[in-house]
């Protein structure tokens, strides 16, 4: 049997979470919220992803505060209004799809906040043009020509940790089964990890132990507040000399496992415009493999894994335990169905779709029964 279509179980403090297969829909920003509140776009998008045949769907980077949004259009979960909007759209989407566990990636953008949506250029928006003052571990801008962020005080750091806990608690209230802390792609937790963006001289900067201190504090605080499946997305490397390294990612993953993590999701880059990445199929998988070997923590691989045979090969080699895809699901929302055909797997599907399959794919739907007269 295909490894991609075997179940996988996370063992969390509140109980096990079993996925029907090892396909993960990675978080994908939609830049379509209204002051942090989910909209009808999210209802449509989430319904699509929940009907994808994947084993786990991850909601896009969701800000823990208004100033933590990447863009004015980014999703948030920090107060009753944002919670009500997310609850409405998510619960309606889940009613239109087979049962699928849901994860939410919670995040603070730090110095990469107050940015325009990608289709509007993606650059920093000045406060006078609808943006806001950004914050970061150190007063260092992401791009040299940009205005500097405000360096976080110890009180600010404590408040942001409380914001993460608040969002995790709200996620639990929404019936979301898993939480992924975003410590990748140059956002705030990654900014603390990387010596490129963190040049503090107090207990949160300098040594490896100091640079991981705040991400670990956030993780431990969320772990106390959220009993479900919990993990972290980490940039395995900055792809810059003198930056965050894969060896440090592996060390951090060992500590996360000891602190009660169920998984790490290994991506890369995002903290510096000087990064040098050679893109190609599975270009980040070697990073996931290194972390898995060093930590024995459940590892999710991601990055230009586009074909079912690729995803299967990653698992067969033992490079990761699960495989995540993002853009491939935007382009092919039924990617999980196609993978089931290619690898001899099965998926759950809404009965309204049972008659859709071509002859060569007729056996991929679990328990499908069609009668006609």
């Amino acid at each position: 049997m295909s490894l991609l279509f075997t179940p996988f179980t996370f063992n969390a403090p509140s109980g096990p979470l079993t996925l029907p297969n090892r396909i993960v829909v990675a978080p994908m920003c939609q830049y379509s919220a209204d002051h942090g509140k989910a909209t009808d776009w999210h209802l449509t998008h989430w319904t699509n992803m929940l009907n994808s045949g994947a084993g786990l769907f991850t909601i896009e980077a969701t800000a823990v505060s208004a100033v933590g949004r990447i863009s004015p259009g980014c999703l948030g979960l920090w107060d009753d209004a944002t919670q009500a909007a997310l609850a409405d759209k998510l619960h309606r989407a889940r009613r239109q799809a087979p049962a699928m566990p849901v994860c939410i990636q919670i995040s603070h953008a730090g110095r990469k906040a107050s940015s325009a949506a990608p289709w509007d250029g993606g650059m920093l928006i000045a406060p006078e043009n609808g943006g806001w003052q950004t914050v970061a571990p150190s007063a260092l801008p992401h791009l040299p020509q940009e205005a500097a962020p405000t360096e976080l005080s110890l009180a600010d750091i404590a408040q942001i940790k409380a914001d993460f806990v608040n969002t995790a608690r709200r996620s639990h209230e929404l019936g979301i089964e898993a939480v992924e802390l975003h410590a990748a792609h140059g956002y705030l937790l990654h900014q603390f990890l990387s010596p490129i963006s963190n040049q503090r001289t107090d207990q949160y900067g300098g040594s490896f132990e100091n640079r991981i201190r705040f991400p670990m504090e956030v993780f431990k605080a969320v772990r106390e507040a959220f009993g479900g499946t919990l993990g972290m997305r980490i940039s395995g490397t900055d792809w810059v000399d003198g930056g965050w390294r894969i060896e440090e990612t592996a060390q951090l993953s060992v500590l996360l496992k000891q602190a009660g993590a169920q998984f790490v999701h290994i991506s890369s880059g995002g903290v510096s415009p000087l990064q040098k990445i050679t893109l190609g199929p599975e270009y980040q998988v070697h990073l996931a493999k290194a972390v898995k070997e060093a930590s024995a923590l459940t590892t999710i691989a991601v990055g230009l894994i586009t074909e079912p045979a690729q995803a299967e090969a990653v698992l067969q080699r033992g490079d990761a335990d699960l495989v995540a895809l993002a853009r491939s699901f935007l382009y092919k929302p039924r990617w999980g169905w196609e993978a089931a055909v290619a690898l001899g797997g099965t998926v759950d599907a809404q009965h309204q779709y049972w008659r859709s399959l071509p002859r060569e794919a007729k056996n991929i739907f679990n328990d499908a029964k069609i009668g006609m007269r």
Side-chain angles (χ1 to χ4, degrees):
M1 174 181 252
S2 158
L3 276 180
L4 193 64
F5 284 93
T6 56
F8 187 87
T9 299
F10 295 105
N11 291 305
S14 63
L17 173 64
T18 298
L19 314 185
N21 61 56
R22 301 183 184 216
I23 305 168
V24 177
V25 179
M28 297 173 277
C29 288
Q30 298 297 294
Y31 307 99
S32 299
D34 176 14
H35 295 90
K37 298 187 290 292
T39 64
D40 285 349
W41 176 264
H42 294 95
L43 172 62
T44 300
H45 174 57
W46 295 345
T47 303
N48 233 350
M49 294 299 100
L50 291 168
N51 279 289
S52 66
L56 179 69
F57 166 58
T58 312
I59 294 172
E60 67 193 83
T62 303
V64 300
S65 66
V67 298
R69 292 172 296 163
I70 302 166
S71 78
C74 278
L75 189 65
L77 180 57
W78 62 74
D79 61 9
D80 291 347
T82 52
Q83 182 172 341
L86 203 157
D88 173 62
K89 304 305 184 291
L90 180 59
H91 294 165
R92 289 165 65 194
R94 296 186 92 166
R95 287 197 294 269
Q96 309 307 321
M100 182 189 294
V102 172
C103 178
I104 186 170
Q105 183 186 72
I106 64 175
S107 178
H108 190 298
R111 70 181 189 178
K112 291 181 80 173
S114 188
S115 297
W119 46 83
D120 292 324
M123 294 294 102
L124 184 70
I125 305 171
E128 60 268 24
N129 295 322
W132 55 91
Q133 177 61 42
T134 62
V135 297
S138 302
L140 301 169
H142 181 70
L143 298 177
Q145 68 272 24
E146 292 179 343
T150 299
E151 181 171 312
L152 291 165
S153 68
L154 295 182
D156 296 331
I157 289 172
Q159 179 59 55
I160 292 173
K161 179 170 67 175
D163 292 339
F164 272 93
V165 170
N166 172 55
T167 298
R169 284 179 172 148
R170 291 178 182 274
S171 299
H172 171 72
E173 291 170 5
L174 292 171
I176 292 171
E177 293 91 341
V179 167
E180 177 178 280
L181 302 178
H182 199 353
H185 304 166
Y187 300 119
L188 185 67
L189 296 185
H190 184 188
Q191 290 163 27
F192 271 91
L193 296 175
S194 176
I196 292 172
S197 48
N198 182 353
Q199 296 181 14
R200 298 177 71 97
T201 57
D202 63 3
Q203 67 266 41
Y204 290 104
S207 66
F208 169 78
E209 291 75 17
N210 282 357
R211 285 182 283 112
I212 70 168
R213 189 182 306 277
F214 181 57
M216 285 299 302
E217 286 181 353
V218 169
F219 179 87
K220 290 176 181 178
V222 171
R223 177 74 289 170
E224 288 185 11
F226 179 78
T229 295
L230 177 61
M232 184 177 284
R233 194 173 202 186
I234 309 171
S235 278
T237 175
D238 287 340
W239 302 108
V240 179
D241 290 341
W244 177 254
R245 300 175 292 112
I246 184 57
E247 294 82 5
E248 293 176 306
T249 302
Q251 286 180 264
L252 175 59
S253 298
V254 169
L255 296 172
L256 288 168
K257 183 180 181 182
Q258 294 170 355
Q262 276 67 60
F263 69 91
V264 282
H265 185 175
I266 305 300
S267 189
S268 68
V271 85
S272 171
L274 301 177
Q275 65 188 18
K276 296 178 181 178
I277 306 175
T278 302
L279 293 176
E282 304 174 29
Y283 74 103
Q284 296 175 149
V285 172
H286 71 286
L287 302 171
K289 178 182 180 181
V291 169
K292 179 175 165 61
E293 289 178 347
S295 68
L297 179 58
T298 294
T299 304
I300 304 172
V302 69
L304 287 181
I305 302 169
T306 58
E307 300 301 323
Q310 276 182 284
E312 180 69 18
V314 169
L315 300 181
Q316 291 286 354
R317 294 193 305 262
D319 293 348
D321 300 287
L322 301 104
V323 175
L325 298 90
R327 291 173 176 85
S328 291
F329 271 110
L330 289 181
Y331 189 63
K332 293 183 177 181
R334 304 289 179 267
W335 190 93
W337 297 11
E338 295 188 21
V341 174
L343 300 172
T346 61
V347 296
D348 289 325
Q350 285 292 93
H351 55 262
Q352 292 94 332
Y353 289 152
W354 283 358
R355 294 187 295 157
S356 70
L357 295 178
R359 184 175 298 274
E360 64 272 17
K362 65 179 181 179
N363 295 320
I364 69 163
F365 287 164
N366 291 316
D367 302 321
K369 299 177 181 66
I370 296 293
M372 295 289 291
R373 55 174 290 160

